[in-house]
Amino acid sequence: MSIAEIGEFGLISRVVARLGSGPRALLGPGDDGAVVAAPDGRVVASTDVLVEGRHFRRDWSGPADIGHRAAAANLADIAAMGAEPTALLVAFCAPGNLDVAWAEELAGGLSAEAALVGASVVGGDMSSSPTLTVAVTALGDLGGRAPVVRSGAQPGDVLALAGRTGHAAGGYTILSRGFRTPKMLVEAYRRPVVPYAAGPSAADAGATSMIDISDGLLQDVGHVAAASLVAIDIRTDTFTVPPAMRDAATALGVDPYQWLLAGGEDHALAATFPPGATLPEGWQEIGTVHDGAGVTVDRKPWSGPTGWDHFR
Amino acid sequence: MSIAEIGEFGLISRVVARLGSGPRALLGPGDDGAVVAAPDGRVVASTDVLVEGRHFRRDWSGPADIGHRAAAANLADIAAMGAEPTALLVAFCAPGNLDVAWAEELAGGLSAEAALVGASVVGGDMSSSPTLTVAVTALGDLGGRAPVVRSGAQPGDVLALAGRTGHAAGGYTILSRGFRTPKMLVEAYRRPVVPYAAGPSAADAGATSMIDISDGLLQDVGHVAAASLVAIDIRTDTFTVPPAMRDAATALGVDPYQWLLAGGEDHALAATFPPGATLPEGWQEIGTVHDGAGVTVDRKPWSGPTGWDHFR
């Protein structure tokens, strides 16, 4: 059954039935607006959009996968500010001939990823469109913490990473060459595993800057360096190439460090900490902050691509 | 110059330059998330998406107009909860060959409409897409008020309207027949004039239910009737047909009450008040709430279309 057959309001009622509720949702879907608890007295908000053909392909990812990824991309941004996610709102645009079950499973994926952090889908909008598009806004609560911005890194700070990089990029390359294994990388592309709790814990540990690695470590750490007016050096000896990744990279003729350093969409978090700070659980030192500008790898410029531009 | 030529980050910096800041924006665009004041301890949030060909046409509306409309649709939802808008986030999807100036003017329109209520654009995302799409999320603050939901109307209540209906529908019909006048209706379609302050003032005056009229008065009041388990009757003698609307309707062979009662996109607010309540400034009584179900016009069923379905 297509979504055109059941119409906007029929689709809304079916999709809403797939959404759980969270402790922060004071008023969920079905009214002009949702009401979400903001006990801190400030709300963190971030928006990310996924467009078919640009951010996902329906033959590579199922609707639940795409829901998980769309939610993760947004929830990771909230965590990267040092906040805890509370709610998602979703604008869903699709051709009228899309199967209703596809939309329902997308909603299920969005809701399930949000539930990992105690958040829920509280509202949204739907429209027909020739292009399947999922725009998500996430809200979060700082719980009394100062927001951790990109501009606070200081020379002498340590650069640390929580979560994994290069896995989604490996999966993307594998799928784009027509393969389906190794499963570890393909599944990492389909559903990122995001270290959500590492965001607030980094804030509590005094992180001076933080960013969600969505476009690639080098590019995103480059944003931190630019905003903080510092140079950042990444040490490759701090990275371990998992055997499955090494084998896949060898088979495909790719440098696995290209995936690790420039691959996006795993939604790891990178943060800088003052020298001597004890890194919280899940954080690992991968580099250092210096006077200067730009990002280097083992003190040298990186020669490959550094990340993703959504208009190029 | 096209947006593909300047790339995602070039576009972001140009668009952000068009955005003003508001008193509620504690941290604006440029980081993983924005931080917005939520002094009430709860945040109201709503999302609306506009898709080219479905919600707007570039030959009918300029980019600033479309920005105003996209913002208005969302800000009106916040007002309809009894809250004051604080911030917007915008997901913008466009073909790479779109002119940069078009995107800049869109941002200017979004920002200018938000500024009418002291809000500002605090964040968003951009992607290339074959389909020009603007998804907006608005946030708002209740200022200690209880949210005014759709389900609170009681038999005996008065139905009241703030703002105008039928103007945007008239403008839409005029443009769709290839005309450009009367300007009053065409401009109403291009840039709705929304009674934002009437939302919080209705909440303060004890409104029992409220809704933003986005799809048409009959359809949206029907949502109130359904959610409240009541019947609502609208009296046509409470409406005045402006001379320019009457003339245009006559020339086009349209019943102007079809525009007034079933036309959407003016973003008037409808609310119910207890019997005997003094209506705040800007609100006018247009009907009554009864035992039963459904919406009638002068105590009779409405024979024409009642509103808009975005998948049909």
Side-chain angles (χ1 to χ4, degrees), chain B residues 248-283:
Chain B
T250 302
L252 296 167
V254 177
D255 176 358
Y257 285 93
Q258 182 64 38
W259 288 343
L260 289 168
L261 297 175
E265 303 211 307
D266 287 296
H267 300 293
L269 302 178
T272 54
F273 292 88
T278 303
L279 300 186
E281 193 189 326
W283 287 92

Side-chain angles (χ1 to χ4, degrees), chain A residues 3-9 11 26-27 30-52 54-55 76-78 80-81 89-96 122-131 133 135-137 139 142 147-151 210-212 215 219 223 308-312, chain B residues 3-9 11 26-27 30-52 54-55 76-78 80-81 89-96 122-131 133 135-137 139 142 147-151 210-212 215 219 223 308-312:
Chain A
I3 56 181
E5 286 175 84
I6 63 167
E8 182 181 5
F9 298 107
L11 179 59
L26 306 178
L27 180 69
D31 220 295
D32 286 324
V35 183
V36 179
D40 176 86
R42 299 167 295 176
V43 61
V44 179
S46 183
T47 294
D48 260 302
V49 61
L50 270 62
V51 177
E52 181 171 35
R54 191 77 192 168
H55 301 90
D77 282 326
I78 300 299
M81 299 303 291
L89 295 100
V90 182
F92 175 65
C93 306
V122 297
D125 191 22
M126 297 183 181
S127 176
S128 68
S129 169
T131 307
T133 303
V136 180
T137 297
L139 305 180
L142 284 161
V148 184
V149 296
R150 299 178 177 184
S151 57
M210 185 151 48
I211 192 165
D212 162 37
D215 294 335
Q219 180 169 307
H223 295 316
W308 185 252
D309 184 316
H310 288 99
F311 280 106
R312 283 179 168 155
Chain B
I3 56 180
E5 284 174 87
I6 63 168
E8 181 180 5
F9 299 108
L11 180 58
L26 305 177
L27 181 68
D31 219 294
D32 287 324
V35 183
V36 179
D40 175 86
R42 299 167 295 175
V43 61
V44 178
S46 184
T47 294
D48 260 301
V49 60
L50 270 61
V51 177
E52 182 171 33
R54 190 80 192 164
H55 301 90
D77 281 327
I78 300 300
M81 299 303 292
L89 295 101
V90 182
F92 176 65
C93 306
V122 297
D125 191 22
M126 297 182 182
S127 176
S128 68
S129 169
T131 307
T133 303
V136 179
T137 297
L139 305 179
L142 284 161
V148 184
V149 296
R150 298 178 177 186
S151 57
M210 187 153 44
I211 192 165
D212 162 36
D215 293 335
Q219 181 169 306
H223 295 317
W308 186 250
D309 184 315
H310 287 99
F311 279 107
R312 286 181 168 156

Side-chain angles (χ1 to χ4, degrees), chain A residues 200-215:
Chain A
S201 71
D204 289 336
T208 54
S209 72
M210 185 151 48
I211 192 165
D212 162 37
I213 307 301
S214 54
D215 294 335

Side-chain angles (χ1 to χ4, degrees), chain A residues 84-264:
Chain A
E84 299 183 56
T86 54
L88 298 180
L89 295 100
V90 182
F92 175 65
C93 306
N97 65 2
L98 186 78
D99 201 68
V100 172
W102 199 96
E104 289 176 304
E105 287 171 36
L106 174 84
L110 285 159
S111 183
E113 188 72 19
L116 293 176
V117 289
S120 60
V121 179
V122 297
D125 191 22
M126 297 183 181
S127 176
S128 68
S129 169
T131 307
L132 190 52
T133 303
V134 185
V136 180
T137 297
L139 305 180
D141 192 78
L142 284 161
R145 298 173 202 95
V148 184
V149 296
R150 299 178 177 184
S151 57
Q154 297 282 339
D157 282 355
V158 162
L159 175 71
L161 184 72
R164 57 197 198 182
T165 65
H167 287 62
Y172 177 89
T173 307
I174 289 161
L175 288 165
S176 65
R177 304 275 183 94
F179 299 109
R180 288 286 186 273
T181 56
K183 273 241 172 293
M184 182 189 78
L185 299 182
V186 171
E187 285 306 313
Y189 166 76
R190 290 185 174 138
R191 298 193 186 188
V193 178
V194 183
Y196 297 113
S201 71
D204 289 336
T208 54
S209 72
M210 185 151 48
I211 192 165
D212 162 37
I213 307 301
S214 54
D215 294 335
L217 181 63
L218 289 167
Q219 180 169 307
D220 287 316
V221 167
H223 295 316
V224 171
S228 300
L229 304 173
V230 296
I232 296 180
D233 183 61
I234 295 173
R235 290 206 321 274
T236 53
D237 64 2
T238 64
F239 287 82
T240 309
V241 183
M245 183 186 287
R246 184 172 299 283
D247 294 349
T250 303
L252 296 167
V254 177
D255 176 0
Y257 285 93
Q258 183 63 39
W259 289 343
L260 288 167
L261 297 175

